[in-house]
Amino acid sequence: MAKKNTKKDNKNQNLRCPIVCVLGHVDHGKTTLLDKIRKTRVAKREAGGITQHIGASEIPIDVIKRLCGDLLKMLKADLKIPGLLVIDTPGHEAFTSLRKRGGALADIAILVVDINEGFKPQTVEAVNILRQCKTPFVVAANKIDLIPGWNSKEGPFILNFNEKAQHPNALTEFEIRLYENIIKPLNELGFDADLYSRVQDVTKTVCIIPVSAVTGEGVPDLLMMVAGLAQKFLEDRLKLNVEGYAKGTILEVKEEKGLGTTIDAIIYDGIAKRGDYLVVGLPDDVLVTRVKALLKPKPLDEMRDPRDKFKPVNEVTAAAGVKIAAPELDKVIAGCPIRIVPKDKIEEAKEEVMREVEEAKIEVDDEGILIKADTLGSLEALANELRKAGVKIKKAEVGDVTKKDIIEVASYKQSNPLHGAIVAFNVKILPEAQKEIEKYDIKVFLDNIIYKLVEDFTEWVKKEEERIKYGEFEKLIKPAIVRILPDCIFRQKDPAICGIEVICGTLKVGYPLMREDGMQLGYVREIKDRGENVKEAKAGKAVSIAIDGRVILKRHVDEGDYMYVAVPENHVRELYHKYMDRLRNDEKEALLKYMELMQKLTNNIFWGR
Ligand SMILES: Nc1nc2c(ncn2[C@@H]2O[C@H](COP(=O)(O)OP(=O)(O)OP(=O)(O)O)[C@@H](O)[C@H]2O)c(=O)[nH]1
């Protein structure tokens, strides 16, 4: 089949379509923009529209050229690539799960930003991911139709961006939003950026293309810039190996009626042939199976029965999205590398995919938390973001949260309560695991936005640390000084009962008391406030107390005498060094007086310090 190339194909035979991914914050218009691109047709009867692939849409270069019209001449662009293969699933989860050796599978990305709202956490996250993967990107500054007074219409933006077409106020407003909401935040992230028509050197400055996904304004400019940049920068990467076997990545694993478990894959290099062998790199294994069918979507006009959505093909040339039916696919997961090879290349392919999986393995720490995600790529992205926030990871795995996971994390928790957590991206908690979560009191963070997970987890850690610290603080014995009130010795011993006034600090049941010269008197067994049992008495309170121990009132201490809470030296040290800011003024006073007393009694000026 490869030999049947037409003349037109020959011209481009060594360049494949660049693979394009769309990223951006929720609601900034990714899906609407993709829909607009997919529906793009030059004129009804003109030949050449968008070709639907599995999981992707191909926009032939002719369509882009015709859409651009005069724009093309203006920019003197000479586009040689056969078109663009735009991945249908937007978002950085799709971007990260689409990987190949050496980074992201997407050759170039479109970052969608609502020009009216500007950068949001997910926009920043997307930029970070793109930077990390070294993927070039352009910014689609979307929703320009919402700029007050903007007269938006389908077609190139640049032809609509002048004083004839727009009111001066609308132009000013556009410039303000462009700068404040897009250029400035990009600068802050370390990128130079400008409106694409003003960019002098595309290797140094990020191109911003204003668009409206609703009216279609700017879509031609966007496609042309993406195509032009991909061709300029990625020529080497786009060189297609037409003779070689197919290399690709699993986009999704899907159950299809009549076909069983199938995979949707993006092939980025070579040719896939029906009947060849499918080699899949799994986290701990390699699967070799036989390709039963290669399927493409059936064009709508050929689809008589909606159940019969796919059309079998004999081969597929990169770059393309294809559905593959083969036995044993229930074991595979999204993000796994694949090869489709003739029998004699199986060993070579096995080695390649194993190496890829090995390279993608996430390094783990000796201790830390468990993280889970739906694909290898998203697991990696999650691990990276958590690492940046200083989080330690003990184990990283693809898949739902299971009972086994909970039991494992319960053991991490024993050595450090802050490791009793699972951070899970875009997966489920299996019902059997739910009970165990309660039993072992494991914290599970579940979300489909990475930055939310990182934020929620670090927030929890902060609160837990605070709680643990507070718990420690609570356990410390705090100082207090009390004085026996006149005429208030009610019982001399076993237990001794007297009325006291708390001078400073808080006296609590269970606290040890001592005399001013250090003699140990016994423990506070009971505190009564006007006949009621209470647990503590704060400074200024007059209460009666019962003391268990050797003390005999009137003999060891008498009316008007002071008694001190005998705080152990290690508690004094903790209070003095770590918790001074948590003590009330009268507690501080009690602590300092007590320390002074003990330093004198022990003849050691460092006592308690
Ligand atoms: N006026 C206007 N509205 C738009 C434009 N693009 C998108 N919208 C609207 O903005 C809302 C969000 O758009 P989506 O395409 O769903 O956004 P998204 O980024 O794909 O959002 P998620 O898929 O939820 O991440 C929808 O109500 C769209 O109709 C635009 O260019 N102009």
Side-chain angles (χ1 to χ4, degrees):
M1 277 279 219
K3 293 195 186 78
K4 271 200 334 197
N5 279 341
T6 61
K7 254 189 202 157
K8 191 180 95 197
D9 287 340
N10 269 337
K11 188 177 70 178
N12 296 330
Q13 74 178 8
N14 285 329
L15 289 185
R16 63 163 170 82
C17 284
I19 299 168
V20 186
C21 230
V22 176
L23 286 80
H25 191 74
V26 203
D27 282 348
H28 279 196
K30 301 178 292 290
T31 307
T32 318
L33 184 62
L34 272 168
D35 281 348
K36 193 78 194 173
I37 292 174
R38 271 196 296 258
K39 284 188 202 124
T40 303
R41 249 163 246 243
V42 184
K44 277 204 184 103
R45 238 163 296 162
E46 266 183 285
I50 311 294
T51 318
Q52 207 48 54
H53 286 234
I54 295 286
S57 310
E58 185 181 334
I59 310 154
I61 203 67
D62 292 347
V63 172
I64 299 176
K65 283 183 179 169
R66 260 178 279 151
L67 272 176
C68 293
D70 292 345
L71 188 61
L72 210 61
K73 281 186 221 137
M74 230 168 82
L75 295 170
K76 298 192 202 92
D78 179 18
L79 298 175
K80 291 195 213 104
I81 50 168
L84 296 174
L85 187 75
V86 184
I87 303 294
D88 284 341
T89 327
H92 54 233
E93 295 82 48
F95 175 82
T96 49
S97 61
L98 284 170
R99 44 178 307 127
K100 69 171 188 185
R101 205 158 166 223
L105 175 78
D107 299 296
I108 188 160
I110 299 173
L111 178 68
V112 179
V113 187
D114 181 337
I115 193 169
N116 310 292
E117 272 208 345
F119 269 53
K120 293 274 163 185
Q122 248 183 315
T123 326
V124 177
E125 186 168 309
V127 171
N128 286 336
I129 290 174
L130 291 169
R131 185 187 345 234
Q132 201 175 317
C133 296
K134 301 193 178 68
T135 307
F137 65 97
V138 299
V139 173
N142 193 27
K143 306 199 188 181
I144 52 166
D145 58 297
L146 295 181
I147 292 173
W150 192 265
N151 175 19
S152 184
K153 60 175 192 218
E154 186 155 17
F157 161 82
I158 214 73
L159 305 178
N160 199 30
F161 177 53
N162 52 58
E163 282 181 358
K164 259 193 222 152
Q166 308 295 343
H167 190 278
N169 289 353
L171 287 171
T172 311
E173 196 53 47
F174 165 80
E175 294 290 354
I176 292 173
R177 290 178 193 210
L178 179 73
Y179 179 73
E180 286 295 327
N181 294 341
I182 299 181
I183 296 179
K184 207 163 115 190
L186 271 170
N187 289 166
E188 281 160 12
L189 290 169
F191 289 93
D192 253 349
D194 210 341
L195 185 65
Y196 83 93
S197 54
R198 295 175 190 151
V199 170
Q200 302 279 340
D201 183 350
V202 288
T203 59
K204 296 203 176 93
T205 310
V206 174
C207 290
I208 304 170
I209 301 108
V211 296
S212 165
V214 167
T215 67
E217 181 174 356
V219 172
D221 317 50
L222 178 66
L223 294 175
M224 186 201 60
M225 283 312 287
V226 170
L229 286 178
Q231 183 175 296
K232 188 168 165 90
F233 293 124
L234 306 163
E235 218 166 320
D236 274 347
R237 214 176 129 118
L238 301 179
K239 282 206 175 115
L240 180 64
N241 187 359
V242 265
E243 300 302 325
Y245 53 72
K247 299 178 179 176
T249 299
I250 300 177
L251 186 64
E252 234 180 302
V253 184
K254 272 189 184 160
E255 202 63 38
E256 297 286 356
K257 258 205 185 125
L259 295 170
T261 310
T262 66
I263 55 172
D264 290 357
I266 299 290
I267 306 294
Y268 59 82
D269 194 22
I271 302 174
K273 293 183 180 150
R274 184 172 67 94
D276 269 358
Y277 291 83
L278 172 68
V279 180
V280 186
L282 301 172
D284 296 304
D285 198 9
V286 178
L287 169 74
V288 180
T289 175
R290 192 105 189 226
V291 176
K292 225 165 49 184
L294 294 170
L295 302 151
K296 297 225 120 191
K298 206 172 236 184
L300 275 178
D301 48 357
E302 286 177 29
M303 206 192 292
R304 273 176 217 106
D305 182 347
R307 280 169 305 179
D308 186 20
K309 294 180 283 195
F310 308 110
K311 185 169 93 180
V313 290
N314 285 330
E315 59 177 51
V316 173
T317 304
V322 64
K323 184 178 277 298
I324 303 171
E328 295 178 78
L329 289 180
D330 41 330
K331 291 191 216 159
V332 308
I333 46 182
C336 289
I338 62 165
R339 300 287 183 270
I340 296 162
V341 296
K343 198 167 184 183
D344 61 323
K345 296 280 185 197
I346 291 178
E347 286 311 310
E348 190 181 322
K350 270 168 95 172
E351 265 175 41
E352 271 183 28
V353 293
M354 273 195 297
R355 213 178 314 127
E356 257 186 64
V357 169
E358 204 48 49
E359 280 169 10
K361 276 217 170 121
I362 291 162
E363 274 190 41
V364 289
D365 304 298
D366 291 342
E367 49 163 35
I369 58 164
L370 170 66
I371 67 168
K372 306 219 65 165
D374 57 338
T375 70
L376 288 177
S378 52
L379 190 65
E380 197 178 17
L382 176 64
N384 282 332
E385 290 301 310
L386 283 166
R387 281 258 155 70
K388 267 194 247 155
V391 178
K392 288 222 160 107
I393 299 162
K394 172 135 171 127
K395 200 168 181 185
E397 265 181 358
V398 170
D400 291 327
V401 178
T402 64
K403 182 174 164 182
K404 197 176 126 259
D405 292 336
I406 306 296
I407 294 168
E408 180 155 359
V409 172
S411 75
Y412 305 173
K413 191 181 168 188
Q414 275 178 349
S415 47
N416 183 342
L418 296 176
H419 294 159
I422 299 178
V423 174
F425 174 77
N426 228 7
V427 293
K428 291 194 291 286
I429 299 176
L430 296 182
E432 43 153 69
Q434 198 65 48
K435 251 202 249 144
E436 307 298 311
I437 292 178
E438 282 151 35
K439 182 167 152 198
Y440 293 103
D441 190 23
I442 297 300
K443 191 79 192 161
V444 182
F445 297 86
L446 209 60
D447 212 302
N448 54 9
I449 301 176
I450 294 179
Y451 83 84
K452 269 285 272 138
L453 280 171
V454 176
E455 212 173 83
D456 290 352
F457 177 71
T458 44
E459 189 70 13
W460 174 78
V461 168
K462 237 203 277 163
K463 280 211 185 110
E464 276 305 282
E465 277 172 346
E466 191 63 15
R467 205 175 59 85
I468 292 167
K469 215 169 150 192
Y470 188 71
E472 279 172 8
F473 172 72
E474 279 299 285
K475 277 193 217 136
L476 294 176
I477 295 175
K478 320 269 182 325
I481 305 173
V482 304
R483 195 174 49 155
I484 303 172
L485 292 168
D487 296 329
C488 285
I489 292 184
F490 307 120
R491 186 174 159 147
Q492 267 189 288
K493 58 176 193 171
D494 299 327
I497 300 176
C498 61
I500 55 129
E501 182 196 358
V502 184
I503 309 292
C504 48
T506 303
L507 185 71
K508 289 187 186 173
V509 172
Y511 272 10
L513 287 173
M514 68 172 222
R515 202 162 68 174
E516 217 162 1
D517 64 354
M519 178 194 168
Q520 301 295 317
L521 300 170
Y523 290 86
V524 178
R525 184 211 267 196
E526 225 173 54
I527 304 178
K528 276 199 168 147
D529 184 6
R530 279 174 253 152
E532 294 279 320
N533 269 331
V534 291
K535 289 212 167 79
E536 58 174 45
K538 289 199 173 113
K541 271 263 170 214
V543 290
S544 70
I545 59 170
I547 310 166
D548 255 346
R550 62 191 282 204
V551 63
I552 301 170
L553 295 177
K554 289 195 172 354
R555 184 184 303 170
H556 297 129
V557 277
D558 208 343
E559 293 171 9
D561 283 349
Y562 288 99
M563 293 187 288
Y564 290 76
V565 172
V567 185
E569 187 176 7
N570 57 341
H571 289 217
V572 169
R573 255 192 226 117
E574 291 272 301
L575 289 169
Y576 186 74
H577 290 288
K578 287 211 258 179
Y579 300 112
M580 259 324 221
D581 55 340
R582 290 193 186 212
L583 297 178
R584 293 190 313 268
N585 281 343
D586 65 292
E587 286 175 315
K588 278 185 205 152
E589 185 193 332
L591 179 70
L592 296 176
K593 277 197 174 145
Y594 176 65
M595 284 171 74
E596 200 185 328
L597 176 72
M598 290 308 292
Q599 284 162 7
K600 214 157 50 186
L601 290 176
T602 56
N603 214 2
N604 173 8
I605 53 162
F606 297 113
W607 193 97
R609 286 183 183 263

